[in-house]
């Protein structure tokens, strides 16, 4: 039992030192003799302890790893002292293009434009500038257009654990339809 | 969000009533014809699967007229959609026997439009969801790692040089006064340098020498053509993520280094500035 405490302390130290999301594999590498399932279990315990004891820190799962962050309840107060780097929020057009890449990756520019019905050159370029999207290869068709995929930065920016953390398009539809309170859909929900 | 006046009657275009001083001028910005159509469908509380093409077409066209009247830029995509809708509307007004004789491409087009609308709608919803997640994530503050703290890797903190940085660096090189070469040949031969050659050359150098200063690629006396080919080669390699162009600090000297995770160069064949193409499997 004392061992566990020490181990948790060490994991906590690693997470703190990293700042950025830290994958379990790297923790395992840093500490010989510990296996991934054990580390995972201890991380969950840490997370529960943070939550139970009402600390100002929480442990979140993001970008295929774990990270220590502050809690949303304190966001307002924190902003009074520290102005967050203005990573300006994305426009609707950029979010639409990004969603298409995220769900259908890898995709070509043309794929994105077909779905949106408009030219998407500038939005895709700005997404690449922000490192949310990257070139991941070429499609094996005439013209060999470039293929685009999302990056780890994308996961981090949106607080996603991994790509499966995105709700499926069907799930999203249900969420939106029921909230729009349309009669037909109440029946469909069955 | 009252923008277009309601038009229960197909015949009345009511464009004359849509004067700027009667309507609210805060028109929502639509991201294209599909966006506008979805808005109209939602506004009229219609089911996408059962939209009345005739009604939607009229409202859509009214909206286009409105945009023109208010001097807003009407992208060609909107006009392409307008013609599609008009075609569908005309089909729907044909007597059913005649349209059956002409084949069912009207129905196919309509189904395709519905499919397109549904798909776009899904991604609009996904975009809203992403925005919510973005906002939620922004409320969390992690500890920002100290720049001087190496951690497990020994990579220094660097920023990727932007295209602007590369252009500026290149301009500086090109603007430098360059004296004539030590031995000016009597005959000036035509340079047969291609970007493809330079791509191979740059790659070979970074593979064997590691990180190289940007200026190093242009060090020897070179013709303008050679300078430009080299620069284009670096740009192309950076664009397709074969190499990184990095700076230790903003506006600092740029260095080029190999991307260790790039696709294997031997499986690509570079055409004359046409970009990489895969070589046949049996090479």
């Amino acid at each position: 039992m004392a061992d566990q405490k020490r181990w948790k302390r060490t994991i906590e130290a690693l997470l703190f030192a990293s700042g950025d999301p830290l994958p379990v594999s790297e923790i395992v590498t840093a500490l010989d003799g510990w296996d991934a399932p054990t580390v995972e279990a201890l991380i969950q315990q840490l997370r529960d302890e943070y939550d139970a004891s009402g600390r100002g820190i929480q442990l979140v799962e993001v970008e295929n790893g774990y990270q220590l962050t502050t809690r949303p309840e304190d966001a307002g107060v924190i902003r009074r002292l520290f102005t967050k780097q203005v990573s300006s929020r994305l426009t609707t057009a950029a979010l639409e293009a990004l969603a298409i890449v995220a769900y259908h990756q890898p995709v070509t520019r043309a794929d994105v434009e077909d779905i949106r019905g408009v030219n998407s050159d500038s939005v895709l370029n700005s997404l690449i500038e922000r490192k949310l999207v990257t070139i991941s290869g070429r499609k094996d068709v005439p013209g060999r257009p470039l293929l685009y995929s999302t990056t780890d930065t994308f996961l981090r920016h949106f607080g996603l654990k991994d790509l499966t953390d995105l709700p499926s398009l069907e799930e999203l539809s249900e969420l939106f339809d029921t909230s729009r309170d349309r009669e037909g859909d109440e029946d469909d929900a069955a | 969000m009252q923008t277009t006046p309601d038009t229960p009657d197909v015949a009345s275009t009511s464009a004359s009533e849509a004067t700027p001083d009667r309507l609210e001028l805060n028109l929502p910005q639509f991201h294209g014809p599909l966006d506008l159509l979805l808005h109209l469908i939602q506004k009229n509380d219609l089911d996408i699967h059962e939209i009345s093409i005739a009604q939607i077409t009229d409202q859509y066209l009214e909206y286009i007229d409105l945009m023109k009247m208010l001097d807003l830029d009407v992208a060609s995509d909107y006009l392409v959609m307008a013609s599609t809708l008009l075609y569908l509307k005309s089909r729907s007004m044909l007597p059913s026997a005649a349209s059956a004789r002409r084949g069912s491409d009207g129905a196919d087009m309509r189904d395709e439009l519905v499919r397109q609308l549904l798909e776009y709608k899904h991604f609009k919803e996904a975009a809203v969801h992403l925005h919510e997640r973005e906002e939620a994530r922004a409320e969390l503050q992690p500890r920002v790692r100290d720049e001087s703290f190496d951690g497990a890797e020994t990579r220094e903190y660097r920023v990727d040089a932007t295209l602007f940085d590369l252009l500026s660096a290149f301009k500086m090189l090109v603007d430098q006064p360059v004296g004539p070469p030590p031995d000016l040949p009597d005959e000036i031969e035509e340079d047969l340098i291609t970007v493809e050659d330079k791509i191979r050359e740059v790659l070979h150098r970074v593979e064997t020498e590691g990180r190289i200063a940007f200026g190093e690629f242009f060090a020897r006396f070179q013709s303008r053509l050679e300078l430009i080919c080299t620069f284009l080669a670096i740009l192309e390699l950076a664009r397709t993520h074969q190499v990184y162009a990095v700076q230790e600090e903003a506006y600092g000297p740029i260095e080029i280094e190999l991307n260790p995770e790039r696709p294997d160069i031997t499986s690509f064949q570079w055409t004359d500035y046409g970009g990489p193409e895969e070589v046949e499997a049996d090479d």
Side-chain angles (χ1 to χ4, degrees):
Chain A
M1 280 306 128
D3 261 355
Q4 293 224 332
K5 240 187 145 169
R6 178 167 60 83
W7 296 0
K8 275 190 286 192
R9 187 202 74 212
T10 309
I11 293 175
E12 187 180 32
L14 282 170
L15 289 172
F16 180 81
S18 170
D20 297 331
L22 196 59
V24 171
S25 55
E26 287 199 30
I27 300 177
V28 168
T29 305
L31 308 146
D32 282 318
W34 299 15
D35 57 287
T38 312
V39 170
E40 295 260 10
L42 289 172
I43 287 177
Q44 295 308 318
Q45 283 190 26
L46 255 182
R47 192 216 303 244
D48 295 337
E49 282 168 28
Y50 281 129
D51 290 342
S53 57
R55 304 195 63 117
I57 305 173
Q58 63 177 0
L59 209 162
V60 296
E61 192 175 357
V62 66
E63 197 189 332
N64 295 306
Y66 294 94
Q67 187 182 37
L68 295 172
T69 73
T70 57
R71 295 179 184 274
E73 300 89 275
D74 299 313
V77 177
I78 291 172
R79 267 193 286 273
R80 279 187 225 156
L81 276 188
F82 309 101
T83 32
K84 208 169 158 71
Q85 327 151 281
V86 181
S87 61
S88 51
R89 302 287 186 272
L90 292 167
T91 61
T92 315
L95 285 167
E96 283 172 13
L98 187 53
I100 295 170
V101 177
Y103 281 91
H104 281 350
Q105 58 189 292
V107 285
T108 63
R109 215 172 268 258
D111 293 333
V112 175
E113 293 182 352
D114 283 345
I115 296 179
R116 290 190 64 223
V118 283
N119 183 280
S120 303
D121 280 352
S122 57
V123 255
L124 276 173
N125 287 337
S126 88
L127 287 172
I128 292 175
E129 284 261 317
R130 287 164 167 266
K131 311 229 187 315
L132 295 169
V133 163
T134 186
I135 294 168
S136 56
R138 281 185 185 262
K139 193 165 184 182
D140 201 5
V141 293
R144 299 190 55 75
L146 292 169
L147 287 168
Y148 299 89
S149 302
T150 55
T151 60
D152 281 345
T153 309
F154 163 75
L155 292 174
R156 191 190 306 195
H157 187 86
F158 292 91
L160 298 165
K161 300 178 204 177
D162 50 48
L163 287 173
T164 64
D165 203 10
L166 287 167
S168 75
L169 293 173
E170 291 73 35
E171 286 170 348
L172 271 179
S173 266
E174 281 164 37
L175 265 175
F176 277 84
D177 284 342
T178 48
S179 73
R180 261 204 287 274
D181 205 35
R182 287 160 58 119
E183 302 172 319
D185 293 279
E186 312 281 354
D187 304 334
D188 289 343
Chain B
M1 197 159 66
Q2 293 300 312
T3 53
T4 52
D6 289 336
T7 48
D9 187 5
V10 166
S12 74
T13 51
S14 65
S16 52
E17 289 164 26
T19 54
D21 45 289
R22 263 195 62 164
L23 290 170
E24 291 178 55
L25 280 184
N26 48 334
L27 290 174
Q29 267 284 47
F30 292 114
H31 302 117
L34 290 175
D35 200 8
L36 171 53
L37 277 177
L38 279 178
H39 167 77
L40 292 173
I41 289 170
Q42 210 180 310
K43 184 175 174 298
N44 290 290
D45 228 347
L46 299 172
D47 182 338
I48 290 186
H49 300 279
E50 300 174 9
I51 41 177
S52 148
I53 293 288
Q55 185 180 3
I56 279 293
T57 302
D58 291 341
Q59 291 198 16
Y60 182 89
L61 291 175
E62 271 191 28
Y63 199 88
I64 301 297
D65 284 342
L66 195 59
M67 281 170 75
K68 287 184 190 165
M69 206 182 319
L70 293 172
D71 255 333
L72 295 176
D73 207 12
V74 182
S76 58
D77 302 301
Y78 284 101
L79 304 175
V80 170
M81 178 60 74
S83 63
T84 306
L85 289 172
L86 281 169
Y87 175 75
L88 288 174
K89 180 180 169 184
S90 67
R91 297 301 309 250
S92 71
M93 285 166 131
L94 285 172
S96 44
S99 60
R101 255 203 312 276
R102 284 170 186 255
S104 58
D105 49 79
D108 286 342
M109 273 178 79
R110 189 184 184 288
D111 287 342
E112 172 59 18
L113 180 63
V114 169
R115 186 202 67 77
Q116 254 194 317
L117 285 168
L118 275 173
E119 188 172 37
Y120 182 57
K121 178 164 166 283
H122 279 141
F123 286 106
K124 281 182 70 73
E125 288 163 357
V128 171
H129 175 77
L130 276 180
H131 177 72
E132 285 167 6
R133 292 203 78 133
E134 190 182 23
E135 295 282 295
R137 172 64 194 187
E139 299 286 276
L140 309 181
Q141 178 63 38
R143 185 186 149 265
V144 178
R145 195 193 308 204
D146 194 346
E147 285 174 22
S148 63
F149 189 63
D150 271 347
E153 299 170 6
T154 50
R155 273 152 68 111
E156 302 100 321
Y157 179 73
R158 304 168 311 190
V159 286
D160 288 339
T162 64
L163 178 60
F164 183 72
D165 294 317
L166 286 166
L167 280 168
S168 304
F170 185 61
K171 184 179 189 304
M172 277 194 334
L173 282 164
V174 168
D175 284 347
Q176 271 168 25
V178 179
D183 308 81
L184 191 63
D186 290 336
E187 291 175 12
I188 309 288
E189 288 169 9
E190 188 185 317
D191 275 72
L192 293 173
I193 310 281
T194 64
V195 177
E196 180 186 18
D197 294 334
K198 285 300 175 184
I199 284 174
R200 286 190 221 279
E201 203 179 290
V202 169
L203 263 180
H204 179 72
R205 282 194 69 181
V206 287
E207 274 169 351
T208 49
E209 299 172 44
R211 202 188 297 177
I212 303 178
F214 182 72
E216 286 290 311
F217 291 101
F218 308 91
R220 295 169 288 119
F221 173 81
Q222 290 172 335
S223 66
R224 210 166 194 86
L225 174 66
E226 199 170 349
L227 289 174
I228 291 172
C229 282
T230 307
F231 183 59
L232 290 176
I234 293 176
L235 283 186
E236 176 69 6
L237 286 168
R239 189 183 72 93
T240 50
H241 297 203
Q242 301 283 309
V243 301
Y244 291 130
V246 293
Q247 301 168 289
E248 300 266 334
E249 55 190 6
Y251 305 113
I254 300 175
E255 293 175 309
I256 310 292
E257 69 174 7
L258 201 61
N259 175 3
E261 288 156 29
R262 77 197 191 294
D264 187 3
I265 183 64
T266 57
S267 67
F268 284 90
Q269 179 178 317
W270 300 84
T271 63
D272 194 61
Y273 200 50
E277 282 186 4
E278 274 189 17
V279 178
E280 298 295 320
D282 49 279
D283 195 25

